[in-house]
Amino acid sequence: MSSSSTGIYLAIAGAAVLAAAGGAAFWYASQKSAGSPGAADQLVTVNATTCAPNAITVPGGRRSFEIVNASDRPIEWEILDGVMVVAERENIAPGFRATLEVQLQPGDYAITCGLLSNPRGTLTVTASDEASAAASEVTLRKFLGPLSEYRVYLVMQGNAAVKSAEALREAIAAGDLDAARAAWRQARLPYRRIEPLAYRFSDLEERIDPRAAYLEKREQDPAFTGYHRLEYGLFAQDSTDGLLPVADALVADLKELAQRLKQAPLDPGLLIEMPGESALQMAQAQVPEGENLYAGNDLQDFGASLEGIGKLAGLLRQVVAGVDPALDKVIDQDLQAVDARLAALRDRGFAGYGDVPRPEREQLSADLNRLSETLRKLQPAIGIN
């Protein structure tokens, strides 16, 4: 081999090492929770089959959990109140960790431990002065308008999700692959707009939007259903064959979701929490590697998610504008910055999200982290009386 060829190979190898190191650094940064300095209240290690500890007791109030992924698969970690997701961190890569902060009221909760098929652990939250004070801080009166308006938005987008899924089902039934692919891309958007609340129905979310990485047998797992199972068939297998039962089930589950959204429990604390938490989830769990691994249209999905966050933030800005106009202005600036970043990426016409360079993803993640940090300031600004 000539010396010039050797130099080329060494340069390529060096670039690969640097790329891998940069990717690992980005993953580590993206898994760190914004606004969480210092040690967490509770360390939770998730291995292949369980959590350690598997039974946790903490006093009520705002608590932080550091979740370490000691398994060989990406994981999500959730706190569940029945079928309702109280809080979660998702897409924690093997060997990495993430921090979750959440306001907890006294009660008994479940925690997920890696694969969706793994047994769940328990979280017991005991009474405390902090929890009692937090429960009495927010009054309902000034949130009646935003809560009512958001309910209307949920109902409209829930109905749109059903209709778009029905159009997808019709294209699959007709065996029209191109039409089904186009319908699938459109069908995702209403769901992404209401995902800040929709994902909290854990039983439905596990049927509507499970990802293969969280299932024991991945794409071959019987629990691989919903949007991503259809995506896999349409974009990875290039066929509509065998997808009609999956599409039927998706329509049925979305109809159930639409009904639940009409009566879903809404309160000021949840309304304040959702936009910042959703922006953080995008920054940490979605933007780094993407979610639509077969279709690659994540930028379109991210735009719909930002619309949902913007709707929530806009409702809350009605309240904050008269209390903290400076914060209102910063929220508007941060929302516009993320929107502009997404628009610029879409304008570049990438064939799929896999073609978006990692530095561009880092910038988008940073913008979303900044938006999340700004939205976290809503609680002290308007949530305390």
Side-chain angles (χ1 to χ4, degrees), residues 233-288:
L234 296 173
F235 294 92
Q237 298 181 313
D238 301 320
S239 175
T240 61
D241 292 348
L243 295 183
L244 188 55
V246 183
D248 285 336
L250 177 62
V251 170
D253 287 334
L254 288 171
K255 285 182 177 178
E256 171 65 20
L257 175 63
Q259 287 299 314
R260 291 195 196 181
L261 291 174
K262 293 178 181 178
Q263 293 106 17
L266 289 177
D267 60 68
L270 181 61
L271 200 70
I272 292 172
E273 176 186 301
M274 283 195 292
E277 180 66 18
S278 297
L280 189 62
Q281 284 287 84
M282 287 182 66
Q284 293 188 346
Q286 299 174 9
V287 168

Side-chain angles (χ1 to χ4, degrees), residues 89-317:
R89 282 289 171 267
E90 61 179 0
N91 210 21
I92 307 172
F96 287 82
R97 61 188 64 209
T99 300
L100 170 65
E101 288 188 0
V102 58
Q103 183 73 36
L104 291 170
Q105 287 299 312
D108 295 322
Y109 303 85
I111 55 175
T112 58
C113 296
L115 296 178
L116 296 178
S117 56
N118 287 348
R120 291 173 174 173
T122 61
L123 171 64
T124 301
V125 180
T126 59
S128 70
D129 291 341
E130 182 183 346
S132 298
S136 63
E137 280 173 355
V138 179
T139 60
L140 182 62
R141 182 176 53 81
K142 63 185 178 182
F143 286 93
L144 286 177
L147 287 168
S148 297
E149 189 172 341
Y150 191 57
R151 177 79 69 189
V152 172
Y153 183 77
L154 290 172
V155 171
M156 292 178 62
Q157 293 300 319
N159 291 338
V162 171
K163 290 180 180 178
S164 60
E166 289 174 338
L168 171 58
R169 181 204 175 281
E170 290 174 5
I172 289 173
D176 190 333
L177 180 61
D178 289 339
R181 285 175 169 174
W184 184 89
R185 293 187 182 97
Q186 291 302 311
R188 289 282 293 169
L189 305 184
Y191 183 79
R192 290 300 297 247
R193 294 185 187 109
I194 56 176
E195 197 171 23
L197 184 61
Y199 91 86
R200 293 173 184 265
F201 296 102
S202 64
D203 58 331
L204 289 178
E205 194 266 346
E206 288 175 8
R207 300 198 301 266
I208 291 171
D209 205 34
R211 283 183 280 168
Y214 296 159
L215 302 170
E216 183 180 2
K217 297 179 181 178
R218 298 182 184 270
E219 284 86 356
Q220 308 310 314
D221 199 294
F224 187 41
T225 57
Y227 286 117
H228 292 303
R229 174 62 184 92
L230 295 173
E231 178 197 5
Y232 175 66
L234 296 173
F235 294 92
Q237 298 181 313
D238 301 320
S239 175
T240 61
D241 292 348
L243 295 183
L244 188 55
V246 183
D248 285 336
L250 177 62
V251 170
D253 287 334
L254 288 171
K255 285 182 177 178
E256 171 65 20
L257 175 63
Q259 287 299 314
R260 291 195 196 181
L261 291 174
K262 293 178 181 178
Q263 293 106 17
L266 289 177
D267 60 68
L270 181 61
L271 200 70
I272 292 172
E273 176 186 301
M274 283 195 292
E277 180 66 18
S278 297
L280 189 62
Q281 284 287 84
M282 287 182 66
Q284 293 188 346
Q286 299 174 9
V287 168
E289 299 301 320
E291 288 197 316
N292 300 344
L293 303 182
Y294 322 106
N297 65 323
D298 295 86
L299 291 175
Q300 184 183 28
D301 269 24
F302 294 159
S305 292
L306 186 63
E307 288 179 34
I309 292 171
K311 178 64 177 181
L312 282 162
L315 295 174
L316 292 167
R317 288 176 61 195

Side-chain angles (χ1 to χ4, degrees), residues 71-88:
S71 75
D72 60 357
R73 302 275 291 274
I75 64 166
E76 61 179 357
W77 191 80
E78 297 176 327
I79 299 173
L80 300 171
D81 184 3
V83 299
M84 295 296 295
V85 178
V86 176
E88 74 167 1

